[in-house]
Amino acid sequence: MFVGRPAAIRRNRVAPIHFCRPSLAQSGTPVFAYRRLFAFACVTLALAFAAPASSDTLASLQARALEAQLDRDPVWQRLLSYDPNDVRWFKRSSATSSNFFLSPRGDRDPKAELVATLASFFDPDAVVKDVEHPQCAFIARREYLIDRLGITQGEMPRRTCEHYEAWRRGLAATGATLIYPEGFMNNPASMFGHTLLRIDVEASGEELLGYAVDFTGDAGEDGGLVFIAKGILGLYPGRFGLHPYYQQLRKYAEWENRDIWEYRLDLGEAELDFLLMHLWELRGIDHPYYFFTENCSYHLFRLLELAKPELLARNAMPLTVIPVDTVRETLAVEALVDDIRYRASPATKLRRDLKEMNSDAREIAALIARGETAPDGEAVAALDAPSRARVLDSAYEMLRYSFVQGGLDPSETRVLTRRILIARSKIKQSSLSGSPKPAPVAMPRVRPDQGHESTTARITGGYRDDEAIVDFRFRPAFHGLMDSEGGYPRNMEIRFFDFNLRYFPERKSVRLEEVTLINAVSLSPRSEIFKPVAWSLLVGLATRRVSEDGDLKDAAVARGDMGGGYAYQPLQWLHVYGLATATIDAGPGLSKDVSLGPGARGGFYLRGPDDRFKSHFYADFKAYVAGDRSLLLRAGTEQRLTLSRNTALILDGSYNRTEGQAYLQGGLSLQLHF
Amino acid sequence: MRAIRIVVAVTILAMAPAGIALADNDIGCGVGTMIMEGQVGPPAKVLGSLTNGVTFQSISITFGLLNCSGQGKVTADASDIRVQHFASQNLDRLSVEMAKGEGEHLNVLASLLDVAPAQRAEFAQLTQENFEQLFPHDQVTVGEMLSSLDGLMTQNL
């Protein structure tokens, strides 16, 4: 804990300081009588020169800082982890660690913190975190104040900061790259992506030796619903971390098989310095981690904003922070990103390699990976050297992938791995020199930042059961199976707070047709090596048509639905799936208030070239066998025609059968992402 | 100088006041790491990566049988810590690239071992030719592999 020396401001809050140092004139000069001014000025000036680093110098600096209203400067506020757009009267810094503030009111009052920070810089005995002087612990603040107030060495001697300097020497930083790991297979939530920063070091071609800066939260041993609830409510503490980049890459690439996008930033030396100085200040400082708002991307983006004034000027932080949106914001600043690279995950590379092999070679690789064929056996020896190399490489990757997924015995896997690698090591470079080397996986046509925007609105005109309907849909996040696919991982859907308001023009009535709190679907296709289980999860409010006096009436129900099954992609453009489901509905409109039972859902998707269109044909069957008993059948189609990156036309139609009655529904929609 | 700089960077990271590192305590040198010690997929991943920013203790891997404060050093050289950490974190990739006689991680390892750029191809070839010596059995640890590599380099480069 730091004990500061609060400055008494009021008696020095006079113009003379400006009067004597016109070069530092700031706005908001109060008006005083000139004569009194002059006398005061000369006395103050004399004293200032007579007593360097005295309490008068400190007081004058504090006064200058307040005159300049630095406490209102977005840069100062962000240095204190305030959000300048926070309009609440109880504005608070997001930092919760007490040793981030020098004033006891620092987390609530940027002005008090400004005054206390300056005071601490002059206090020779002050110590922060038991190790450093405040000038070093808050080196970015020092840099900022020196720059804005033009503080000379004479006014405030600079202390040397050995720890910080040693750290900087060790880092040997030359630049920074924004790293975006994409979503990974079978995990729709991961579609949101993640952002981290790589501090690049001197040696080029050795990016692995850079350092990864990221903001992560500590969930301890929590899991499941507790994890989700606490995460949404910000009950986990988060901190910035700095790890060797290769360590993080291993986690994202090797373990999670995520494709990685690297957006190299063009930062000036001073900008990089300021970023690293602030990172130094943030060591060990806690901020609550909120999944949807103040998450990894939020804090990382704030760090970038401090380094790059052009980003800060855009003031772009929305209420909910989606990682890919922060990447888009970064790209929006001209020339901030000067190079974009793509690093395919081992799984992506394996998929590509297998596709390029003929089926015999694929078969041999799979057999080797399962331990059913010797890596140095006849089947392999019969191949020419380049094919042998590819087969063994793929066999290794298949084995490794299966191991990481779980279920394989470690020591057996080790034995087999070694045999495969020994066989591979016998294929010398010289015997491969004739044939072309496998090329790196090509960058996908559409980058994540080029995909459709995160928010969706849709307007539909159509009919249901011979009655006209107009639907208005709004979805804050994120991506549906019928949306344009570019930039998003395939075959997955995650939708949050998807509202559907329905207007019946003939009756002039409006109804909240549906509120999907969350719908997550993963239909990753199975293949020889990749065997994911397709699944779906829905929680929300839905409308169930119930029978009343021979007519079908709309009843609102709370619905939970879960499904599990398989999906396949027999052809590039054909994707087939089937799920066994269980549904539970609850609502006052049901005769027994609750209705539940099993069901099945299946269908297929057809993909057009370059994603120009997508077709979906499906059937959905629900057998509510308990509570309010009922059978529900729906068979239909959806057709999406892409108009542009963010607009599409959708045509849908379905045949519905429930409560002994059948009806048709259909509509034409215009969908917009923004 | 470079070796000292590297050591300083790693040491500062590991032991800076209030610590730079987080809950994910993988800073151990893991000299006891063997191949195929990857994280084994838990079903909890489905929920655990809801925002990808929250580390999930039950699935975070701990290699560190030994940490980098000095146990299990291959030689007395200060740059060792970095080499050991890199090798233990990347052992699987390194083993594949050594078998192939080329690769990004192998190149970085060579750099950490102060192999001159002009000699890197030779270094890679050396590891391929002597693969069985570097991995004589399937329980080879990082420490043992680096030791063998050290011997190979002394003899040949």
Side-chain angles (χ1 to χ4, degrees):
Chain A
M1 266 310 286
F2 170 71
V3 178
R5 186 175 46 195
I9 309 302
R10 293 196 185 281
R11 66 170 191 272
N12 280 352
R13 195 159 197 250
V14 292
I17 293 123
H18 299 285
F19 197 73
C20 285
R21 310 222 178 150
S23 60
L24 297 161
Q26 308 286 352
S27 59
T29 312
V31 176
F32 286 88
Y34 274 86
R35 229 181 306 163
R36 207 169 14 142
L37 220 59
F38 185 74
F40 212 126
C42 291
V43 170
T44 315
L45 192 58
L47 282 177
F49 277 125
S54 69
S55 61
D56 282 339
T57 315
L58 167 61
S60 83
L61 284 174
Q62 288 168 329
R64 262 156 54 191
L66 292 172
E67 291 292 355
Q69 295 191 319
L70 293 185
D71 54 294
R72 299 213 193 156
D73 184 0
V75 177
W76 175 253
Q77 294 199 354
R78 286 194 196 240
L79 280 171
L80 303 182
S81 289
Y82 281 89
D83 179 358
N85 297 323
D86 190 350
V87 295
R88 302 171 301 175
W89 65 272
F90 55 92
K91 183 198 287 255
R92 284 269 192 291
S93 166
S94 64
T96 53
S97 304
S98 59
N99 55 18
F100 192 62
F101 300 103
L102 294 158
S103 155
R105 291 186 47 78
D107 66 334
R108 296 186 291 290
D109 186 348
K111 198 187 281 192
E113 189 62 17
L114 176 61
V115 166
T117 301
L118 278 167
S120 74
F121 286 174
F122 281 83
D123 185 343
D125 302 321
V127 175
V128 179
K129 296 175 190 169
D130 297 326
V131 191
E132 288 176 295
H133 188 267
Q135 280 195 25
C136 299
F138 300 108
I139 191 166
R141 294 189 204 179
R142 183 178 79 170
E143 182 74 14
Y144 168 81
L145 290 168
I146 287 170
D147 176 62
R148 293 300 164 98
L149 297 175
I151 306 175
T152 63
Q153 267 280 19
E155 286 177 299
M156 182 180 85
R158 317 278 187 266
R159 298 180 82 99
T160 42
C161 299
E162 301 101 6
H163 283 115
Y164 172 74
E165 295 297 330
W167 180 67
R168 285 299 305 267
R169 278 195 303 274
L171 277 184
T174 54
T177 302
L178 182 62
I179 307 284
Y180 179 77
E182 269 196 60
F184 55 101
M185 188 163 75
N186 229 29
N187 188 326
S190 74
M191 276 205 287
F192 287 106
H194 184 44
T195 51
L196 51 142
L197 199 67
R198 184 182 66 209
I199 305 299
D200 298 318
V201 298
E202 283 165 28
S204 69
E206 291 169 18
E207 304 125 17
L208 295 181
L209 290 177
Y211 294 92
V213 175
D214 63 3
F215 182 82
T216 60
D218 181 2
E221 298 288 337
D222 291 343
L225 289 171
V226 171
F227 172 77
I228 292 179
K230 285 172 83 168
I232 292 175
L233 296 172
L235 295 174
Y236 293 126
R239 285 186 188 183
F240 273 92
L242 183 69
H243 296 92
Y245 178 63
Y246 56 77
Q247 194 176 311
Q248 301 304 78
L249 187 65
R250 179 166 194 242
K251 185 165 70 148
Y252 296 120
E254 304 280 335
W255 292 353
E256 295 179 341
N257 284 294
R258 304 169 86 152
D259 295 335
I260 308 230
W261 294 81
E262 304 177 359
Y263 299 84
R264 193 176 68 191
L265 303 172
D266 183 17
L267 291 178
E269 203 179 310
E271 290 169 338
L272 183 62
D273 272 343
F274 198 56
L275 190 153
L276 291 171
M277 283 180 185
H278 187 51
L279 185 61
W280 181 253
E281 294 182 332
L282 289 170
R283 267 154 51 248
I285 303 298
D286 284 336
H287 308 255
Y289 192 105
Y290 294 88
F291 280 173
F292 296 129
T293 53
E294 296 173 19
N295 53 32
C296 55
S297 299
Y298 171 82
H299 285 279
L300 198 76
F301 191 67
R302 273 177 138 189
L303 191 63
L304 278 181
E305 279 183 319
L306 271 175
K308 204 76 190 172
E310 294 91 318
L311 256 178
L312 188 62
R314 290 178 62 83
N315 202 16
M317 199 67 74
L319 184 59
T320 55
V321 182
I322 296 176
V324 69
D325 287 343
T326 64
V327 176
R328 292 188 179 121
E329 274 304 316
T330 308
L331 282 163
V333 174
E334 209 181 304
L336 176 52
V337 175
D338 66 5
D339 190 31
I340 301 176
R341 298 212 184 157
Y342 169 73
R343 181 188 281 265
S345 71
T348 302
K349 188 164 178 309
L350 176 60
R351 249 181 247 122
R352 194 272 315 252
D353 289 345
L354 289 175
K355 239 195 307 196
E356 286 177 5
M357 281 163 45
N358 64 51
S359 58
D360 287 338
R362 254 204 306 275
E363 181 65 25
I364 298 173
L367 288 170
I368 295 172
R370 287 201 292 270
E372 292 167 23
T373 299
D376 46 8
E378 278 177 23
V380 182
L383 302 166
D384 65 1
S387 304
R388 217 180 318 142
R390 282 198 175 68
V391 163
L392 289 171
D393 290 343
S394 297
Y396 172 84
E397 294 297 338
M398 282 166 142
L399 177 59
R400 201 200 64 88
Y401 182 85
S402 302
F403 178 74
V404 169
Q405 293 306 106
L408 293 186
D409 173 63
S411 46
E412 277 175 28
T413 309
R414 224 168 256 137
V415 170
L416 181 53
T417 301
R418 190 172 157 268
R419 286 180 66 195
I420 295 173
L421 293 180
I422 288 175
R424 180 62 178 87
S425 74
K426 300 216 161 54
I427 306 173
K428 302 297 173 208
Q429 293 277 10
S430 48
S431 56
L432 295 175
S433 55
S435 58
K437 280 174 59 153
V441 179
M443 194 185 285
R445 191 176 52 91
V446 183
R447 297 192 311 252
D449 60 275
Q450 294 172 321
H452 70 74
E453 299 277 346
S454 307
T455 310
T456 309
R458 196 199 280 198
I459 179 163
T460 309
Y463 66 91
R464 185 192 68 176
D465 202 0
D466 294 329
E467 190 177 12
I469 52 172
V470 180
D471 281 354
F472 301 92
R473 296 182 86 136
F474 179 78
R475 185 182 83 204
F478 185 59
H479 177 71
L481 284 163
M482 287 306 288
D483 294 340
S484 51
E485 300 191 318
Y488 288 84
R490 283 200 162 181
N491 305 316
M492 296 198 284
E493 167 171 305
I494 187 155
R495 294 186 287 125
F496 279 104
F497 302 110
D498 197 342
F499 289 87
N500 185 359
L501 205 62
R502 178 162 289 173
Y503 173 60
F504 297 89
E506 288 163 27
R507 309 184 221 158
K508 299 217 184 336
S509 70
V510 169
R511 197 196 146 69
L512 188 60
E513 181 72 12
E514 206 173 79
V515 178
T516 303
L517 291 175
I518 177 170
N519 187 37
V521 183
S522 175
L523 300 178
S524 300
R526 292 169 79 85
S527 65
E528 288 150 347
I529 359 108
F530 301 103
K531 295 196 185 310
V533 169
W535 59 273
S536 74
L537 175 70
L538 170 90
V539 176
L541 290 172
T543 295
R544 176 112 158 241
R545 304 206 82 199
V546 292
S547 183
E548 204 179 280
D549 305 326
D551 277 339
L552 287 176
K553 290 276 182 281
D554 289 336
V557 290
R559 173 171 289 172
D561 180 293
M562 272 185 357
Y566 298 131
Y568 297 91
Q569 193 162 318
L571 298 164
Q572 168 75 341
W573 46 267
L574 175 65
H575 184 239
V576 182
Y577 69 96
L579 299 167
T581 60
T583 313
I584 176 164
D585 290 347
L590 301 172
S591 60
K592 293 209 175 71
D593 295 337
V594 168
S595 183
L596 59 114
R601 189 157 64 235
F604 60 94
Y605 289 91
L606 299 168
R607 288 189 164 92
D610 285 339
D611 199 30
R612 281 192 221 121
F613 68 86
K614 191 171 183 185
S615 297
H616 181 210
F617 295 88
Y618 64 92
D620 186 351
F621 178 69
K622 295 199 207 315
Y624 292 98
V625 296
D628 200 338
R629 297 169 65 155
S630 191
L631 291 176
L632 215 149
L633 170 68
R634 180 171 209 192
T637 179
E638 298 175 287
Q639 309 284 332
R640 182 255 298 158
L641 178 69
T642 312
L643 299 175
S644 75
R645 173 183 160 204
N646 285 311
T647 55
L649 270 179
I650 300 172
L651 184 68
D652 71 85
S654 61
Y655 168 83
N656 300 268
R657 202 180 168 80
T658 183
E659 310 270 316
Q661 303 202 27
Y663 64 93
L664 295 174
Q665 180 170 340
L668 180 66
S669 315
L670 177 65
Q671 178 164 282
L672 276 143
H673 301 284
F674 54 92
Chain B
M1 248 340 265
R2 182 190 169 141
I4 296 169
R5 271 194 292 138
I6 290 166
V7 167
V8 162
V10 174
T11 329
I12 291 286
L13 295 180
M15 301 184 310
I20 281 280
L22 294 185
D24 188 16
N25 277 320
D26 283 357
I27 301 216
C29 266
V31 210
T33 308
M34 295 184 261
I35 57 171
M36 286 300 177
E37 275 206 55
Q39 170 200 20
V40 177
K45 257 199 280 201
V46 167
L47 295 170
S49 294
L50 191 65
T51 58
N52 311 297
V54 183
T55 55
F56 207 24
Q57 283 287 47
S58 58
I59 67 171
S60 90
I61 199 75
T62 44
F63 284 115
L65 302 178
L66 307 156
N67 65 32
C68 277
S69 60
Q71 295 175 35
K73 277 194 288 194
V74 176
T75 68
D77 190 24
S79 66
D80 228 41
I81 295 173
R82 196 68 189 284
V83 168
Q84 286 171 33
H85 189 259
F86 181 80
S88 71
Q89 290 283 309
N90 295 288
L91 187 57
D92 289 337
R93 274 300 138 205
L94 282 171
S95 65
V96 175
E97 292 180 6
M98 284 177 180
K100 290 190 197 178
E102 60 164 2
E104 184 186 16
H105 297 75
L106 195 55
N107 183 52
V108 170
L109 181 69
S111 168
L112 291 174
L113 291 169
D114 288 324
V115 174
Q119 286 194 297
R120 303 254 172 103
E122 204 187 318
F123 170 80
Q125 238 181 315
L126 186 68
T127 60
Q128 187 187 42
E129 277 161 22
N130 296 282
F131 187 83
E132 285 190 71
Q133 190 183 331
L134 291 167
F135 294 93
H137 57 89
D138 52 82
Q139 310 260 354
V140 173
T141 66
V142 160
E144 290 165 8
M145 187 275 284
L146 287 174
S147 192
S148 313
L149 184 60
D150 197 45
L152 268 178
M153 284 170 70
T154 319
Q155 285 166 27
N156 294 289
L157 289 180

